[in-house]
Amino acid sequence: MIRRPPRSTHCISSAASDVYKRQQLRNSIIIHTLDVATTIYALENRDHVREGNIILGPDPEIYEVVLLKAIVLPFVHQNFESGQILIMNWAGGIAVVNNLYIINRYD
């Protein structure tokens, strides 16, 4: 009889769930990097643009924008389930689209 080594995850569905969560985490990093980049670009290059995040205030410094994401994202990635991360990714994607709309609106 051929014996296989034990799996690190005992259930196939939990292994698939882990893969799905890693994909969502990867997407989250990409989306929030785009959000930070477009936010910084809009704040630096457009006079009439204000930050909409109430934590940062209307005219944050660049380091404040980056620091907020650097603090929030690891917390979200550690404590949220894959479905919650998916919702955060949608919200981040909407923020990026909104940032691009505002950047183009003031051209």
Side-chain angles (χ1 to χ4, degrees), residues 39 43 51-61 64-66 68:
T39 299
L43 290 172
E51 173 62 40
N53 189 331
I54 60 172
I55 295 172
L56 293 174
D59 295 316
E61 298 293 327
E64 293 172 325
V65 174
V66 173
L68 179 67

